[in-house]
Amino acid sequence: MSIKSTVLGFPRMGSDRQLKKLVEKFWAGKATEQELVEGSKQLRADHWALQKQHGLTEVPAGDFSYYDHVLDAAFAVGIIPERYQQLDTAGTQAYFAMARGLQNKSIGIDVPSLEMKKWFDTNYHFMVPEVADNQKFVLHSTKVVDEFKEARALGYTARPVVLGPVSLLALSKTAKGSSTKPLEQLASLVPVYVELLGQLAAAGAEWVQMDEPVLALDLDAAVYKAAFEQAYSEFAKIDGLKYLLTSYFNRLGENLAWAATLPVHGIHLDLVRGSDDLDTALATIPEDKIISAGLINGRNIWKANLGQQLAVLNKIISARTPGRVWVSSSCSLLHSPHSLQPEVGHLDEETLGWLSFAEEKVEEVATLAAAAADPTTVQAKLQVNAANVASRKSSERITRPAVQQRLAALDRSFYTRKAPFTERQTLQRAALKLPLFPNTNIGSFPQSAEVRKARAQFRKGALAEAEYTEYLEAETRKCIEWQDQIGLD
C-alpha cells in the first residue's frame, strides 16, 4: 500500500533568509529585477529538492511569494486598484507598491500600500485586496502556471496551489467609493479562474490544491454554499483536472455537510486544529473522494507525537478505499521556521530533540506515510520520536511536579469569584479612576530615522552597548510622556 505524502506549502524565505536579503537588495537598487527572478527560481528549486530528499511523493508549486500569497492571487486576476495603474503593472513596480507603498518625488509618485490584516489567528498578516464596483477581472499573471512548469521541468511530481475565488473575495474589502460587496462579483471572477485552471491542465497538472480557508469560519450557509457551488460547478467542466478542497486552522464544523457535496475530488482536513471533525468526516465525505489528513502541525515548533498520529491515520485508512488517503501538514509550513540545522551547537541536545521546524516536519509527514504502509521500514525513527516526545512530557523544564500538585489540589471554589461583578466593578473604578470610555493604544511605535541610525552605529561598533541602551530608554520615555501629554488614559 502506497500513501501520497505532501505538505500544503513550504516556507519561502530560505534557510538563511535568502529571499528577504534578495528582495531588500532589489528594493535598494542593488539587484536587478532579473537577478530577483533568477535568485527566487533557484530558491524554489532548492526547496523542492529538500522536500523530495526528505521523502515527499508530491510537492506544492505556486506557494512561493515575493511578499504575500493573497496579494499574488489578487494581482493574478487583475485586482489592481486605480491608484497603482500609473505604475508598471507588467513587472514588479505596481506589485511592490501594493505591498509596501511607493514614494518617489523624482517621478511624482506617492501611493500608500494596501491595508494589512491578520491571517486568521496566525501571526502572519496579508495584504487586503480592494474590489471596486464592476471590477474588471482579467488573467494578469500566470505565476502559478510558470512555477508548476518549473517544478515539472526539474522532474518533480507537483501540485499547483491556488487561493480559491470564494476565499479571495471573502477576504477582500470594498474599494473606497464603491458599494458592492466583493463576493457579489463572484460570477465575473469565475471565468478568469477557469482560464487559469485551463492553463494548468494544458501544462500537465493532475491535481490542483484549491485553498478555501474561509471554510473554517462560521459562514452563512445559504450564501456560501451557493457561492461555492457556482464556482466549483464551472471548474468541474475542465477536462483532466482534479481538485483538493483545502481549509485549515480549524474544523469545518457545520460547513462540512455541504462542502462534502461539492464537485471536487478530495477534501483536506486540519486534524490538528479540527480533530473533532474526523468521525463526522468519515461518515460524510463520499467514498470516491480523497481525504487529505493534515496530521503534522504546520504552525508550531514541536515534534509531533508520531505514534499518536499514526493511530489516527490508520483509523482513516481502515475506513476508506486503499489509495484514497493522503498524509499532509495541517496547513502550510509557511508559519514554521525553516530548519533546525542552524540551531545545532547553539541549543542543547535535549531541546533539539523536542523541536521540529519546516524541514523536520516534512520528514515527519513522510515518516507517517511510510509507517502506515510498513512500520518496520521506519521503526528506528518512530522509536526516537517516542523517546523525544516522552522526554519533553516528563522534563521538569516543561512540567514541574510541584506546580502539578498545586493544580491538582485546587477545588471548584478556586474558580468562583468571591464577589459579584457589580461589587468588583465599583472597586475597580475607585482604584483606577478611569473615565467611562478609557482610551489607549497597543504600542509598537514606528522606529524613527534617528533610532535606525543609532542601531546601525551600535551594530558597527561605533556606539557602545551602554550608550545604545541609554539612548533607547530615553526614546522610550519620550514616547510614554508624549502619550500622557496628549491625554491617553
Side-chain angles (χ1 to χ4, degrees), residues 251-253 256-257 260 267-271 274-287 289-292 315-316 319-320:
R251 58 195 293 264
L252 295 178
L256 177 58
I267 294 179
H268 175 81
L269 301 173
D270 180 342
L271 294 175
S275 57
D276 290 347
D277 264 352
L278 181 57
D279 289 338
T280 304
L282 291 175
T284 306
I285 298 174
E287 283 280 343
K289 283 183 168 59
I290 293 287
I291 288 182
S292 168
K315 176 180 177 177
I316 300 169
R320 310 301 285 186

Side-chain angles (χ1 to χ4, degrees), residues 119-123 248-250 270 272-273 296-302 330-337 361:
W119 179 243
F120 296 84
D121 62 348
T122 71
N123 287 328
Y248 29 79
F249 303 146
N250 207 341
D270 180 342
V272 174
R273 286 292 196 86
I296 300 301
N297 195 331
R299 51 183 292 184
N300 75 355
I301 59 169
W302 306 110
S330 63
C331 60
S332 171
L333 301 182
L334 166 69
H335 310 284
S336 296
K361 289 177 185 294

Side-chain angles (χ1 to χ4, degrees), residues 39-160:
S40 299
K41 185 176 181 180
Q42 183 58 55
L43 198 56
R44 289 192 292 272
D46 293 344
H47 291 171
W48 288 324
L50 271 175
Q51 293 170 69
K52 180 69 174 177
Q53 174 189 328
H54 285 297
L56 293 192
T57 57
E58 185 174 84
V59 299
D63 55 323
F64 177 88
S65 177
Y66 289 139
Y67 202 91
D68 168 49
H69 60 280
V70 181
L71 174 60
D72 292 348
F75 200 76
V77 297
I79 307 177
I80 304 173
E82 186 177 350
R83 64 181 178 275
Y84 305 108
Q85 295 290 344
Q86 61 182 310
L87 305 174
D88 174 18
T89 59
T92 59
Q93 188 185 48
Y95 174 89
F96 281 127
M98 291 168 70
R100 60 196 294 264
L102 180 61
Q103 291 75 43
N104 190 323
K105 292 181 180 179
S106 65
I107 56 176
I109 291 175
D110 185 356
V111 292
S113 69
L114 295 174
E115 176 189 343
M116 185 178 280
K117 189 175 180 180
K118 195 173 175 68
W119 179 243
F120 296 84
D121 62 348
T122 71
N123 287 328
Y124 182 85
H125 287 68
F126 71 97
M127 309 310 300
V128 181
E130 299 174 8
V131 180
D133 289 341
N134 300 312
Q135 176 75 47
K136 184 179 180 182
F137 300 106
V138 60
L139 187 56
H140 182 75
S141 164
T142 57
K143 170 186 173 297
V144 66
V145 181
D146 300 336
E147 291 177 13
F148 170 71
K149 289 179 178 178
E150 279 179 30
R152 290 257 295 183
L154 291 170
Y156 300 111
T157 300
R159 180 187 68 259

Side-chain angles (χ1 to χ4, degrees), residues 226-284:
F228 274 94
E229 288 175 345
Q230 179 182 6
Y232 285 83
S233 62
E234 291 300 313
F235 302 161
K237 297 174 184 177
I238 301 172
D239 290 336
L241 280 189
K242 297 176 183 177
Y243 304 104
L244 179 69
L245 186 65
T246 306
S247 185
Y248 29 79
F249 303 146
N250 207 341
R251 58 195 293 264
L252 295 178
E254 294 179 358
N255 301 326
L256 177 58
W258 55 262
T261 68
L262 293 171
V264 297
H265 305 80
I267 294 179
H268 175 81
L269 301 173
D270 180 342
L271 294 175
V272 174
R273 286 292 196 86
S275 57
D276 290 347
D277 264 352
L278 181 57
D279 289 338
T280 304
L282 291 175
T284 306

